[in-house]
Amino acid sequence: MNLESLGWSNLFATSFNTYWQEGYTVGRVAVEHRNTYILYTEQGELSAEVTGKLRYHAAGRQDLPAVGDWVVISIPDSGKQAIIHAVLPRKSKFSRNIAGTKTEEQIIAANLDTVFLISGLDGDFNLRRIERYLILVWESGANPVIILNKADLCDDLEGRRQAVEAIALGIPIIILSAVHNQGLDALKPYLSQGKTVALLGSSGVGKSTLTNQLAGRAVQAVQSVRQGDDRGRHTTTHRELIVLPSGGLLIDTPGMREIQIWGGDNSLQETFTDIEALARQCRFPDCQHDSEPGCAVQQALLDGSLNYQRFVSYQKLQKELDYLARKQEQRTYLDTKKRWKKITKSMRQRRKR
């Protein structure tokens, strides 16, 4: 493997320069396990562990390696296992809030060029879920492409396309059938050598089938969806960076039905550009789009130019992001306090010695 084929660029080379002068080398995280990693390197595929120092200084799991990361490594003389000393700055990262009640960023994949947001055209088709996923994609810094899969199971392809176009202004939309290998040629421009793509979508939309078709082999297990609601099981159990025959790199992610949002105002604005444009026409800059006079959003709802369900989705996601922002501020305060306690304790121990 050469670094360029794995997505290496001048951006990463600049960040790595100091480490290179100290004799370190680099690798890209292909698989993340609980305490170990599989890396792609110029020396081949290597198992790796992070140093205790890196783990100690990490403020949270977001500071540790994730699939797609470029990491600074040393390789002992045995050559069997590498040691990870640092994570190079990311050009993009796809994150979500961890499952449960905690507020903590979990990086699903890093250094992406494109995210394929996959939605099934069967009974599980859901515009509100697409809006929710789009917030995560815009927040990542990668470019979204919407894939409408299972075209063979849909009787109204044009109607579904128009419905998605109405909520995803300017975003490329590709209709295909992964199981029948139809329409996949439209994905080729995004999968050229060194380009990294992640697949995002709920269980049962066909991510594993698409992965296998693009890889030209059975990389992921495939299971049938449930009868009645077209929902699938989580067939992908871990994230993996897969090198495709085209030279592109693909990261399949486990299916996430009720994905916990990680984003901010900018990602909300990118997802709902139509509503944001209307809001700028309101009489009052702090308009809540409720009962204020001169509200352009309410007028659009009355004349039918703005879909009511889309507006409800916008309000719901806005409240969720506002709540997340408050929790993030609280966590930052607690993390800073914890870090200063560590520093103070370390200084006291030095004085005693």
Side-chain angles (χ1 to χ4, degrees):
M1 297 179 183
N2 64 72
L3 297 183
E4 286 72 21
S5 68
L6 295 173
W8 186 255
S9 68
N10 289 334
L11 176 68
F12 302 115
T14 301
S15 302
F16 177 64
N17 187 51
T18 302
Y19 295 104
W20 175 74
Q21 293 175 5
E22 295 175 3
Y24 292 103
T25 186
V26 292
R28 193 169 189 193
V29 178
V31 181
E32 175 187 356
H33 296 300
R34 185 176 294 275
N35 294 309
T36 60
Y37 301 84
I38 302 298
L39 308 181
Y40 292 151
T41 74
E42 288 187 311
Q43 290 75 30
E45 194 173 295
L46 294 175
S47 175
E49 291 184 350
V50 302
T51 62
K53 181 179 179 181
L54 175 57
R55 193 175 294 278
Y56 177 80
H57 286 287
R61 62 175 68 192
Q62 72 275 7
D63 294 330
L64 295 173
V67 173
D69 267 328
W70 285 99
V71 291
V72 177
I73 62 174
S74 60
I75 305 175
D77 293 337
S78 64
K80 293 181 179 179
Q81 187 168 55
I83 300 172
I84 301 173
H85 298 268
V87 179
L88 292 181
R90 300 161 174 133
K91 72 175 183 180
S92 63
K93 59 176 181 175
F94 174 63
S95 303
R96 67 172 177 177
N97 193 13
I98 62 171
T101 58
K102 284 186 177 181
T103 301
E104 185 178 354
E105 181 182 11
Q106 179 187 14
I107 298 176
I108 303 298
N111 299 315
L112 308 172
D113 297 290
T114 307
V115 174
F116 287 165
L117 198 172
I118 307 177
S119 175
L121 285 167
D122 50 6
D124 201 30
F125 180 76
N126 190 314
L127 293 174
R128 305 288 80 86
R129 190 183 300 132
I130 293 174
E131 290 170 342
R132 189 176 183 84
Y133 284 160
L134 276 174
I135 286 181
L136 292 167
V137 180
W138 285 124
E139 186 69 19
S140 74
N143 295 314
V145 172
I146 295 176
I147 295 177
L148 301 180
N149 188 27
K150 304 186 181 182
D152 53 302
L153 300 179
C154 180
D155 296 327
D156 186 17
L157 291 178
E158 190 54 35
R160 289 285 169 90
R161 179 200 290 274
Q162 290 177 5
V164 175
E165 285 178 345
I167 67 164
L169 306 176
I171 297 175
I173 298 172
I174 297 171
I175 296 178
L176 54 80
S177 173
V179 72
H180 293 295
N181 199 17
Q182 296 175 352
L184 271 63
D185 285 347
L187 305 180
K188 287 182 178 179
Y190 307 100
L191 297 169
S192 57
Q193 182 165 321
K195 297 297 182 182
T196 305
V197 173
L199 304 185
L200 170 65
S202 57
S203 301
V205 297
K207 298 192 307 300
S208 296
T209 301
L210 181 58
T211 296
N212 292 341
Q213 294 283 24
L214 294 174
R217 66 186 194 281
V219 178
Q220 301 285 9
V222 177
Q223 295 183 6
S224 60
V225 296
R226 295 198 305 244
Q227 293 291 327
D229 62 6
D230 291 321
R231 295 186 176 186
R233 301 190 185 110
H234 298 292
T235 53
T236 303
T237 57
H238 66 277
R239 293 174 292 282
E240 180 179 355
L241 182 70
I242 301 165
V243 181
L244 303 177
S246 66
L249 301 118
L250 185 70
I251 301 175
D252 189 5
T253 63
M256 295 172 281
R257 179 159 303 284
E258 295 301 329
I259 191 167
Q260 300 222 33
I261 270 188
W262 189 270
D265 286 342
N266 289 339
S267 54
L268 184 74
Q269 292 168 12
E270 290 282 4
T271 304
F272 294 91
T273 53
D274 52 341
I275 297 179
E276 291 291 329
L278 286 169
R280 289 192 289 271
Q281 300 173 31
C282 292
R283 181 184 300 178
F284 304 108
D286 59 347
C287 183
Q288 298 300 302
H289 318 308
D290 186 9
S291 57
E292 296 90 341
C295 175
V297 173
Q298 285 296 325
Q299 181 58 44
L301 289 170
L302 287 172
D303 65 29
S305 58
L306 174 61
N307 179 273
Y308 178 72
Q309 291 301 322
R310 178 161 171 78
F311 178 61
V312 170
S313 176
Y314 169 79
Q315 288 183 310
K316 178 184 176 182
L317 290 168
Q318 188 175 49
K319 289 178 181 177
E320 194 171 337
L321 289 171
D322 288 344
Y323 175 76
L324 176 63
R326 293 194 297 272
K327 296 288 285 184
Q328 286 173 334
E329 288 177 5
Q330 182 184 26
R331 180 173 177 82
T332 299
Y333 167 76
L334 294 174
D335 285 345
T336 302
K337 187 176 179 181
K338 183 178 178 181
R339 184 169 291 187
W340 276 110
K341 278 185 177 180
K342 278 185 179 181
I343 293 171
T344 304
K345 182 179 179 181
S346 178
M347 291 174 67
R348 284 175 181 166
Q349 290 173 343
R350 286 175 186 168
R351 287 197 202 102
K352 288 180 181 179
R353 288 197 296 267

